Amino acid sequence: MPSPQAFISSQASSPKRLLASALGLALLPIAAHAADADAPKEDQAKKLEGVKVDATTVNSTSPKFTAPLLDTPRAVTVIPQAIMQETGAVSLLDALRTVPGITFGAGEGGNPNGDRPFIRGFDSQSSLFIDGVRSSGSQSREVFDIEQIEVTKGPSSAYTGRGSAGGSVNLVTKAPKAQNFVTGSVGVGTDNYRRGTVDWNQAVNDDVAFRLNAMAHENDIPDRNGPDFSRWGIAPSVTFGMKSATSVTLSYYHLQSDDTPDSGLPYNNPFAATSPNAGLNGNGEPIKVPHDTYYGLLKRDFQKQKTDVGSIRLQHDFGGGWLLRNTTVYSRVTNDYIWTQPDDSQGNFLVNGGIWRRNNNRISAVTALTNQTDLTGEFETGAIKHSIATGIEIGNEKTHRSSYSVDPAVNAADTHNTGSIVNGACTRKYGIGAASNYWCTSVLNPNPNDPWSGLISGGLNPVRVTTDTRSAWAFDTATLSEQWLLNLGVRFDNFRTRSTSVTTATNAVATLKNDSNFWNYQAGVIYKPVSNGSIYLSYGTSSNPPGVDAGDGSDAIALSNADLKPETSRNLELGTKWDVLDNRVSLTAAVFRSEKTNARVALTGVRGGPMANVGEQRVDGIELGISGNITAQWQVFAGYTYLDSELVKASPAAPGDQGNQFPNTPKNSATLWTTYAITPALTIGGGAYYMDKVYGNTANTKWVPSYTRFDAMASYEINHNLTLQLNIQNLTNKYYFDKAYASHYATVAPGRSAILSANFKF
């Protein structure tokens, strides 16, 4: 195993300087602890980090939740930092793998290449939040500065505003604390895995604390023969007034990545009866080739992302349970990429053994300025106690996106860069390889190192989108008695979006707009048969206007939907929550129905054609969950979700879809992560993740098969300051797919990998 110094020296220049500086700063307080090295050791049973015999149940940080999660009538899953560390999660996708009922969608065309979770069958790309403030812009999110992740399920616009048809995800960042500590990790592994993190918290005095998180990371994607990840990040924050009634927290976050994206595999496409290849129909699953088959072009493909977020949070405690918070956040997110989509929509795979290296690309920059004020407090009206939360939000988001011109044709007769079945690159006129300038490659023997000499120029078809929101909300949990509670909530949103686009070829300018005002509601009744258990019945709604993504997601405003009303969803849920074993373990169960009653659907089969609010979608489901320490040695974090989805009323352009299953919605999914402390020093753990068959399209003709993946972990505490941790992910090297796109391809999940980390704390 390389030393930490060897690891640091191997990084790119920027990550190298970053991590070296961060570790250098971190070592300052470490020196102060050196004198304590010979102090008597604690009792071995008390040294077990993460193994607790007291209460371990967790709660949400959202001020809109006016009661503990036990008494909140919603299905909410909290992923603590300990679970992320034990499972070896380094991204949002890794972390959400531990929550059943969540899948990830792929990027293509109007869907940018970035985080795109589906919760209970509904696209939640535009329902991601950081510390309760909307996270705008397509991006792939890290977890090095994350304390916990909170997943709220079911239509929940009363809490989060536009979108949230299936739920929302809130990432809680690491804030300064009134104590001194340094933690971090240095890891190496297979597939050139190298990662270093540091988390330094310093109490400057009784009233001021500073915290710095930093990270550098790189790895190849296991068993994929080309794609890789490389990124670094830094997140400093400082709080003034730690012990005062009034405090101010200033924070900044920077993440920068330079990746080679994965191209995935094409579906073995079923062709329409009118297609010249109708007699060669495939079955709709991804083609069967070796796991490491990669159709990308390493000399052409790239993805560069940059995220900068600055925030100011002011907080004042009036006493008597009343707290006022004001948060101002400015962010800028850029996403710049060209990557290969292996396109077999023209039948090359079946006709002549070729794969068309279609390119997807985007140049986007999203800036957002948000000011959010929350007031929480308690009061009584007679015998009824009220816990309330009220707030207002003002936000502005601006998106500028364009695309690349990639190896354009030199004249009208030049079709080397198209995938036409009649005379395209993989058929008669142009062949596989140099004749098509490597736009076409072999199905069975692609060479990702093929040369590339095509001209690439940016600024094609620019689009500018401006989105303004004005919101206000109020929530109340009324304690009617020891057994009965009533939860009520309402939110109003004023949503305005404007889009101006230019078609480069004709200089034609199109201006679109959508103005929407919408109310959303949350209501729930909670019965507590005992103090540590609750049974609830809740109702909640959501609204999804055209342009909900502020111009950089999968639901942009377009000519076909500009004048439409927001889609509306509703959720009816019956659930129960129990904190058992001295509040060490949380048990949850829920049955629910989520409906979208005026979904936007196409009226014709023409892409970009008119749309109307006439669709209807429904999901009936069951969710079960368990988390906590069953004994002092045994920890479990697990869940199961059943989703019965149905397109109740399909598009008039595709009546045959009616009754079909939602895309990206498995009927059954289950996750399990468990650890057991064999000795005070040695802990072993393992994970199992099951996902049912998933369809990529509403016609249910493109799909990826079910899978079960296993992970393993072992950690050994050398001393109080240093623990070694070994993670083996995808233990059996399962060949499966973790993203399914509607038309062309599915993303291959990484193969087996092993990572050895040295986790330190002082």
Side-chain angles (χ1 to χ4, degrees), residues 286-305:
I287 65 174
K288 297 185 182 301
V289 291
H291 195 190
D292 63 353
T293 304
Y294 175 62
Y295 295 113
L297 267 173
L298 295 179
K299 290 181 171 58
R300 183 185 73 177
D301 295 359
F302 67 91
Q303 180 164 25
K304 299 178 186 293
Q305 298 183 348

Side-chain angles (χ1 to χ4, degrees), residues 207-510:
D207 227 28
V208 180
F210 170 80
R211 192 165 185 175
L212 174 69
N213 278 271
M215 173 277 304
H217 176 103
E218 66 179 17
N219 73 282
D220 298 335
I221 298 181
D223 204 14
R224 289 296 296 137
N225 191 35
D228 57 38
F229 297 128
S230 177
R231 58 184 178 267
W232 65 275
I234 187 168
S237 57
V238 60
T239 296
F240 302 93
M242 293 289 294
K243 297 183 178 181
S244 303
T246 302
S247 65
V248 179
T249 299
L250 309 177
S251 65
Y252 172 70
Y253 175 90
H254 176 84
L255 177 66
Q256 189 166 323
S257 64
D258 186 358
D259 304 334
T260 303
D262 198 342
S263 59
L265 298 181
Y267 294 116
N268 190 349
N269 280 317
F271 294 99
T274 57
S275 168
N277 300 308
L280 301 173
N281 274 352
N283 64 357
E285 70 175 317
I287 65 174
K288 297 185 182 301
V289 291
H291 195 190
D292 63 353
T293 304
Y294 175 62
Y295 295 113
L297 267 173
L298 295 179
K299 290 181 171 58
R300 183 185 73 177
D301 295 359
F302 67 91
Q303 180 164 25
K304 299 178 186 293
Q305 298 183 348
K306 186 183 295 185
T307 301
D308 291 278
V309 182
S311 69
I312 303 172
R313 172 168 291 182
L314 294 88
Q315 181 169 296
H316 180 73
D317 189 344
F318 292 98
W322 288 89
L323 190 67
L324 178 70
R325 305 175 184 86
N326 180 268
T327 304
T328 300
V329 178
Y330 175 82
S331 66
R332 177 177 169 83
V333 177
T334 61
N335 195 0
D336 182 8
Y337 60 80
I338 298 176
W339 65 281
T340 294
Q341 179 196 113
D343 188 352
D344 190 44
S345 60
Q346 304 300 335
N348 294 302
F349 164 56
L350 294 169
V351 175
N352 60 10
I355 286 293
W356 173 243
R357 284 168 164 165
R358 170 180 170 181
N359 87 98
N360 287 336
N361 65 77
R362 175 173 292 231
I363 311 166
S364 69
V366 180
T367 59
L369 179 62
T370 304
N371 183 269
Q372 182 172 303
T373 301
D374 296 280
L375 175 65
T376 57
E378 299 177 351
F379 65 92
E380 295 181 357
T381 56
I384 301 175
K385 176 184 177 182
H386 299 269
S387 297
I388 69 164
T390 63
I392 58 174
E393 177 184 305
I394 301 173
N396 173 264
E397 298 158 272
K398 294 180 180 178
T399 297
H400 180 206
R401 74 173 192 268
S402 59
S403 56
Y404 285 101
S405 173
V406 181
D407 190 24
V410 297
N411 55 55
D414 180 9
T415 57
H416 79 280
N417 61 349
T418 69
S420 168
I421 191 62
V422 178
N423 57 2
C426 295
T427 54
R428 295 188 301 272
K429 189 171 182 180
Y430 300 98
I432 292 172
S436 62
N437 198 22
Y438 300 96
W439 280 93
C440 187
T441 189
S442 166
V443 172
L444 297 178
N445 296 295
N447 180 9
N449 293 301
D450 280 339
W452 175 259
S453 59
L455 177 66
I456 298 175
S457 59
L460 195 68
N461 301 324
V463 179
R464 293 184 182 273
V465 180
T466 299
T467 301
D468 293 298
T469 57
R470 305 289 186 270
S471 309
W473 58 85
F475 293 89
D476 180 17
T477 294
T479 303
L480 308 179
S481 67
E482 290 186 1
Q483 284 76 39
W484 291 96
L485 293 84
L486 180 65
N487 173 267
L488 299 173
V490 61
R491 177 177 176 129
F492 172 78
D493 283 89
N494 169 253
F495 175 83
R496 301 175 71 249
T497 188
R498 301 289 186 272
S499 172
T500 301
S501 60
V502 179
T503 302
T504 302
T506 62
N507 282 327
V509 178

Side-chain angles (χ1 to χ4, degrees), residues 539-623:
Y539 174 84
T541 67
S542 72
S543 299
N544 195 53
V548 67
D549 57 14
D552 195 38
S554 57
D555 195 10
I557 185 173
L559 182 62
S560 60
N561 66 14
D563 296 327
L564 297 183
K565 295 180 180 180
E567 298 175 309
T568 57
S569 303
R570 60 192 180 190
N571 183 73
L572 185 64
E573 184 167 302
L574 174 65
T576 185
K577 302 179 182 182
W578 294 83
D579 291 343
V580 299
L581 300 179
D582 295 327
N583 294 332
R584 299 195 314 269
V585 175
S586 291
L587 303 175
T588 61
V591 294
F592 60 88
R593 167 169 285 189
S594 295
E595 295 178 303
K596 183 181 287 188
T597 56
N598 63 335
R600 290 187 290 272
V601 296
L603 296 179
T604 69
V606 180
R607 184 173 182 178
M611 303 181 75
N613 293 110
V614 297
E616 185 176 340
Q617 303 168 3
R618 183 174 65 223
V619 179
D620 294 320
I622 300 171
E623 291 185 349

